[in-house]
Amino acid sequence: MIVLLIPAVVVLFFLLFPFLEVLLSRMVRPKTPERTDDFRSFGIIITAYRNWEISVPLVRSLLKQDYPGNFRVYLVADNCEPATFPVEDERLTVIWPETPLNLKAKSIIHATERFQHTYDHIVIFDADNLAAPDYLRWINRYITLGYPAVQGQRTAKNLDTFYARADAAGEFYKNYTDRALPFRLGSSSVISGSGMSVEREAYLGYLNSPEIQDGQHLWKKMLQEDKILQNHLLRQDLRIAYAPEAVVYDEKVSDGAAVETQRSRWLYSYFQNMPNAIGLLRRGLTRLSFNQFWFGLVTIAPPLFIQLLLAGVLGLLGLIFYLPVFLMMLIGGIVFIGNIPLSLYLDNAPRSVQQVFWRLPAFAWRQLKALAKIKDPNKNFKHTEHRKMVTLDDVERPA
């Protein structure tokens, strides 16, 4: 029975872990940084791939920032035919690489090599994003508190299909359990992949790290840049702040095929990153760093549908061979599933997003299909196409 009991205890821990975070966080009052007159300078990089047009609303939202400090926007239009960009501003530089780069990290490096100023912080956006008018102000407030890296809150700019609402539900859940709660408890926020700001020297150190320099030649087998960045920062025991007030709108997938395309990359990256998460756990224990230890726990936790799949298999085996294991999985599964709508409610997700909870098994099925595609990333991973030409006037903040 020990063969069943040991994995059951591990799975039970991770089933209960998000709810444990919620309980512990209720004992800690979140701190909102005060206004400041100390304004940092920002070099803002937008990476566009094959579709520079989708970045136009983002560029306009950044140039309209309510921020008195110095900033400049660098748009890298990779693998795009050079054209006349419809926005002209002295704070905008549009870069048309002569040779296709075909990798986000290469586009970012390409932009930093063309910086016109030595900025205090470097901010990264995807071309399909939108930045709320006060995004830079809020990011700056957290920076002045001493945090070397700040992750903004990514939220949906489109909720027009079931899959978009389900994707948004996952984003809200992760915003709360992987970003807001760890930061509130004294650890670090997980990085989203865009909408984050990092101190210049720390970010350039990440770009010069072996993971990035060597990973450029691995094409789609390269570990996702956001995970490399957060590992680079956490190995130095630097804290990544989470700024829920710094809102970044992000395009959500619109159909099942896009879910499989996106999640296959994410799942491959999760398994690829497991040794790094274990390494942070070990560092946290040996160096008595709560920041590293808790972040290691957050990032090693399996994706939601995999946790439920494991719980289901172990519960079935427990029902046949050892009843206590069945009861452990039943209790853990109930708490885990119940914590999802609770987290969506506590994170003020829109009603339409909360209501999609009952249909999430259909979304999980698409993720299960994506799991079958992670064996050969260079063959199966495709670029996620973005088509939603949405402006700030078209989106509404979550209620």
Side-chain angles (χ1 to χ4, degrees):
M1 298 310 164
I2 195 71
V3 176
L4 272 181
L5 193 58
I6 292 177
V9 169
V10 174
V11 171
L12 179 63
F13 172 79
F14 284 110
L15 288 173
L16 299 178
F17 181 70
F19 184 61
L20 174 64
E21 281 191 304
V22 172
L23 290 180
L24 292 175
S25 70
R26 308 314 287 179
M27 305 176 190
V28 181
R29 180 176 298 178
K31 296 180 181 179
T32 302
E34 298 179 357
R35 292 178 180 272
T36 178
D37 293 326
D38 183 9
F39 298 110
R40 302 298 201 273
S41 61
F42 294 95
I44 304 172
I45 299 174
I46 304 171
T47 57
Y49 180 67
R50 291 185 177 176
N51 180 8
W52 62 264
E53 291 93 341
I54 197 70
S55 68
V56 174
L58 169 60
V59 169
R60 287 180 171 143
S61 72
L62 290 170
L63 295 176
K64 293 179 180 178
Q65 286 291 299
D66 178 23
Y67 184 70
N70 176 40
F71 69 91
R72 188 174 188 86
V73 178
Y74 296 84
L75 168 64
V76 182
D78 181 31
N79 211 339
C80 300
E81 281 293 325
T84 301
F85 199 77
V87 180
E88 291 187 11
D89 193 287
E90 60 181 9
R91 298 166 298 172
L92 171 65
T93 298
V94 181
I95 304 169
W96 308 90
E98 295 182 2
T99 303
L101 303 172
N102 297 325
L103 193 67
K104 182 177 179 179
K106 288 185 177 180
S107 290
I108 294 172
I109 293 171
H110 197 72
T112 60
E113 291 173 345
R114 286 152 181 81
F115 273 177
Q116 299 181 17
H117 182 74
T118 302
Y119 304 99
D120 297 318
H121 265 240
I122 296 174
V123 184
I124 305 298
F125 282 100
D126 290 334
D128 62 298
N129 295 157
L130 289 170
D134 56 355
Y135 170 83
L136 285 179
R137 273 192 180 271
W138 279 109
I139 291 292
N140 186 71
R141 285 195 191 187
Y142 282 85
I143 291 172
T144 56
L145 293 180
Y147 297 109
V150 185
Q151 174 64 58
Q153 180 192 172
R154 290 210 314 187
T155 190
K157 75 175 186 182
N158 62 301
L159 297 173
D160 50 341
T161 69
F162 157 70
Y163 287 105
R165 292 190 292 273
D167 191 10
E171 185 87 79
F172 274 101
Y173 179 79
K174 289 296 183 180
N175 277 340
Y176 196 64
T177 60
D178 289 6
R179 298 180 182 103
L181 298 187
F183 176 58
R184 188 182 303 178
L185 292 173
S187 184
S188 288
S189 162
V190 170
I191 286 177
S192 296
S194 67
M196 71 284 196
S197 178
V198 184
E199 189 273 328
R200 178 177 54 86
E201 289 301 322
Y203 197 81
L204 294 180
Y206 144 75
L207 291 179
N208 289 317
S209 67
E211 291 92 338
I212 291 294
Q213 293 300 315
D214 297 340
Q216 294 182 69
H217 310 294
L218 297 177
W219 195 32
K220 294 180 182 179
K221 290 184 179 180
M222 179 184 183
L223 185 64
Q224 286 192 334
E225 295 87 352
D226 55 345
K227 288 184 170 55
I228 299 177
L229 175 57
Q230 64 191 24
N231 292 335
H232 177 78
L233 296 172
L234 265 294
R235 288 191 191 110
Q236 303 173 65
D237 207 9
L238 301 175
R239 280 189 70 192
I240 304 168
Y242 178 61
E245 307 90 349
V247 177
V248 177
Y249 296 97
D250 179 60
E251 183 174 330
K252 300 306 170 191
V253 295
S254 296
D255 55 56
V259 173
E260 294 178 32
T261 296
Q262 185 188 74
R263 275 6 188 224
S264 60
R265 294 197 310 269
W266 291 6
L267 288 168
Y268 182 84
S269 184
Y270 164 75
F271 289 111
Q272 199 180 12
N273 188 58
M274 284 187 68
N276 296 306
I278 294 172
L280 287 175
L281 269 173
R282 184 174 63 250
R283 283 171 180 257
L285 287 172
T286 57
R287 302 183 182 187
L288 299 180
S289 168
F290 178 81
N291 180 31
Q292 293 174 326
F293 174 73
W294 200 264
F295 191 84
L297 286 177
V298 171
T299 53
I300 203 174
L304 275 65
F305 81 98
I306 291 181
Q307 292 190 53
L308 289 174
L309 181 63
L310 291 173
V313 171
L314 287 170
L316 181 60
L317 292 174
L319 187 61
I320 298 172
F321 299 108
Y322 192 50
L323 193 58
V325 168
F326 168 75
L327 295 175
M328 289 166 61
M329 295 301 97
L330 178 63
I331 294 171
I334 291 173
V335 172
F336 183 82
I337 293 173
N339 189 62
I340 295 175
L342 174 63
S343 297
L344 294 178
Y345 170 76
L346 293 174
D347 201 36
N348 296 316
R351 184 178 297 274
S352 62
V353 172
Q354 295 187 45
Q355 290 174 341
V356 83
F357 168 75
W358 302 106
R359 298 177 60 193
L360 287 180
F363 193 79
W365 169 247
R366 287 289 185 170
Q367 295 183 80
L368 189 60
K369 293 178 68 177
L371 186 62
K373 298 181 178 181
I374 69 172
K375 186 175 181 180
D376 188 354
N378 286 337
K379 177 181 178 181
N380 293 316
F381 293 3
K382 300 177 182 178
H383 172 65
T384 302
E385 295 184 8
H386 301 293
R387 304 185 182 93
K388 305 293 182 181
M389 291 295 290
V390 177
T391 69
L392 277 178
D393 293 334
D394 298 324
V395 297
E396 296 179 355
R397 296 190 185 218

